[in-house]
Amino acid sequence: AQSVTQLGSHVSVSEGALVLLRCNYSSSVPPYLFWYVQYPNQGLQLLLKYTTGATLVKGINGFEAEFKKSETSFHLTKPSAHMSDAAEYFCAVSVINSGGSNYKLTFGKGTLLTVNP
Amino acid sequence: DTGVSQDPRHKITKRGQNVTFRCDPISEHNRLYWYRQTLGQGPEFLTYFQNEAQLEKSRLLSDRFSAERPKGSFSTLEIQRTEQGDSAMYLCASSLSRGSVYGYTFGSGTRLTVV
């Protein structure tokens, strides 16, 4: 079974500083990987996803993530934090099951990003 | 495309009462998913439908929970005899068949508080 570990339940950065949110996954087969953002009392919004191909994935709002198979990691970065980036971020993994279908997302526990002025 | 709609946004109920939530997916999406998110945790998979067929139920979905998707359109999630441990955000998502390739779209959720 697949799993996701997000290192750091809370990350605090200054406005304009680099954002780095860590995600490691466990999967016995090639995974599909996702980052979602959740603002208070809202649903989840997809930031970016990795399926196949290029390992550096660019998403919305200036975020990007790099799939590193050797490190089983999919860390999320943004060069310069903005106040509006303050939210909770979830890494998720999906794998193809024995029936050839992938339908279930397994989420990490989330990382709360705080941006200080 | 109006996205995934969930109703109600908030529900406060007394322990022991039954509650029902509704989810309207994106119209062309044939898959619909329910997740539960408790405070400080990521969403956890509950169940999913392909069209009107419920294809998997998590062990988290006790006998008090039932989900339906009549005619493969909207879905309802009912919780009978609610308990305080049922307090959570219930999220609905929808996708095309290859959800991991084309993406899952989540609704804004229904926050349930059992008092």
Side-chain angles (χ1 to χ4, degrees), chain A residues 32 34 36 38 41-44 46 49 51 90 94 101-105 107-110, chain B residues 9 31 33 35 37 40-43 45 48 56 91 100-104 106-108 111:
Chain A
Y32 292 175
F34 305 79
Y36 283 87
Q38 186 176 37
N41 296 314
Q42 296 293 318
L44 302 172
L46 180 66
K49 59 181 168 67
T51 53
F90 293 94
S94 174
S101 174
N102 56 343
Y103 57 86
K104 183 165 56 179
L105 288 174
F107 288 87
K109 292 188 175 182
Chain B
R9 291 293 306 277
R31 288 191 175 178
Y33 314 80
Y35 286 79
Q37 184 180 20
Q41 301 293 320
F45 172 82
Y48 96 103
E56 183 173 330
L91 294 165
S100 290
V101 175
Y102 300 113
Y104 306 85
F106 281 82
S108 295
R111 182 169 295 283

Side-chain angles (χ1 to χ4, degrees), chain A residues 17-95:
Chain A
L18 171 71
V19 175
L20 171 60
L21 304 182
R22 299 178 187 273
C23 172
N24 288 88
Y25 69 90
S26 173
S27 175
S28 57
V29 296
Y32 292 175
L33 295 160
F34 305 79
W35 275 99
Y36 283 87
V37 61
Q38 186 176 37
Y39 296 98
N41 296 314
Q42 296 293 318
L44 302 172
Q45 181 183 7
L46 180 66
L47 283 176
L48 49 81
K49 59 181 168 67
Y50 168 79
T51 53
T52 58
T55 57
L56 183 61
V57 180
K58 295 186 183 299
I60 62 172
N61 301 338
F63 285 94
E64 62 181 37
E66 187 171 10
F67 170 61
K68 292 187 176 180
K69 184 178 178 180
S70 61
E71 297 177 8
T72 61
S73 69
F74 191 57
H75 301 331
L76 181 71
T77 60
K78 182 174 180 178
S80 177
H82 192 273
M83 296 296 288
S84 61
D85 295 328
E88 188 145 27
Y89 291 79
F90 293 94
C91 182
V93 63
S94 174
V95 300

